[in-house]
Amino acid sequence: MVKYIIFDVMGVIFTVGDDVENLLVPYVRSLKPETTIQQIKDAYMSASLGHISSRKLWELVGFEQTEILTTEHNYLENCFTLDDGFLPCAKALKKRYGIALLSNDISEWSKYLREFHRIEPLVDAAFISGDIGVRKPDAKIYRIALEALGIKPSECVFVDDNPERIEAASELGICSILFNREGHGYQGLRVKAFGQLTKLLI
């Protein structure tokens, strides 16, 4: 019996999947054009593994201490688009299942976005790479989530927009659904919108 629905965040709950390439890099470069793309990507990777804080990331990509708070809030509040279908879907699923998140993200940013978009009350648990020190598709992050939730792989459904991360979860015996907003040539279970997902799971 399925007990939990586990959602990826970027590319599922929020519409952009590669937030580094498509959001963070353009945002930083628009303000600090002297900062290289590789500097931004390296700083993000370190922060998304919990090796540095989000504040240190902004320092590494060229921002002064006095600029960081405003810069970060502007980025998080204005650059991410919540899929309009997520909240209705999560509220419907919440009546039957636990809801968890499993995301490659910076700890502070993930928490801020969950609170800003009022996602937090719907979430029973959040497993963020910046807290755990492991990123998908490493099997360890899925096992950590399963153990913390006290469930077997067969007792959850994992929803992600990346076929590689879907395959990694499937190899552990987790029922996985590709949120196929990008139109990947994927032959497994897939949906394109939250309305489809809701109908599939209820």
Side-chain angles (χ1 to χ4, degrees):
M1 182 180 71
V2 173
K3 297 179 179 178
Y4 276 90
I5 311 299
I6 304 176
F7 289 96
D8 173 43
V9 177
M10 300 304 166
V12 178
I13 295 174
F14 293 96
T15 57
V16 173
D18 190 344
D19 55 312
V20 180
E21 187 74 39
N22 296 320
L23 299 180
L24 183 61
V25 168
Y27 180 75
V28 172
R29 297 268 291 171
S30 71
L31 298 170
K32 304 290 180 180
E34 70 280 7
T35 303
T36 69
I37 293 173
Q38 196 58 51
Q39 281 178 293
I40 299 167
K41 289 182 176 180
D42 289 347
Y44 178 85
M45 183 61 69
S46 292
S48 74
L49 285 168
H51 297 162
I52 62 172
S53 66
S54 63
R55 177 170 286 275
K56 184 63 177 177
L57 177 149
W58 293 114
E59 288 180 22
L60 290 175
V61 298
F63 290 88
E64 301 293 333
Q65 285 291 330
T66 54
E67 300 175 289
I68 289 175
L69 189 61
T70 300
T71 300
E72 181 168 87
H73 286 183
N74 182 62
Y75 175 62
L76 295 174
E77 293 175 13
N78 297 304
C79 293
F80 292 82
T81 301
L82 181 72
D83 189 307
D84 290 339
F86 173 69
L87 292 178
C89 175
K91 288 174 182 176
L93 294 178
K94 184 76 173 172
K95 296 174 184 177
R96 183 174 295 190
Y97 309 104
I99 302 291
L101 307 180
L102 182 59
S103 179
N104 291 340
D105 202 356
I106 297 169
S107 178
E108 299 96 325
W109 292 3
S110 177
K111 188 173 188 298
Y112 191 95
L113 285 169
R114 297 197 308 268
E115 292 176 349
F116 183 75
H117 290 278
R118 298 180 176 86
I119 295 169
E120 194 79 324
L122 295 169
V123 175
D124 298 293
F127 304 97
I128 310 302
S129 64
D131 295 321
I132 297 170
V134 183
R135 288 171 54 91
K136 295 176 292 181
D138 190 319
K140 184 178 179 181
I141 195 168
Y142 302 96
R143 293 193 181 105
I144 289 171
L146 293 172
E147 183 176 350
L149 294 173
I151 58 174
K152 301 172 184 177
S154 60
E155 293 177 324
C156 69
V157 172
F158 175 58
V159 183
D160 199 293
D161 68 309
N162 183 290
E164 183 183 8
R165 299 194 294 255
I166 286 289
E167 293 292 346
S170 297
E171 287 174 6
L172 296 175
I174 297 171
C175 176
S176 301
I177 301 173
L178 181 70
F179 201 92
N180 203 18
R181 183 180 278 113
E182 300 296 324
H184 296 290
Y186 178 75
Q187 299 305 310
L189 196 58
R190 60 195 185 277
V191 298
K192 289 186 177 181
F194 281 106
Q196 284 181 280
L197 185 66
T198 303
K199 291 178 181 178
L200 187 64
L201 296 174
I202 291 181

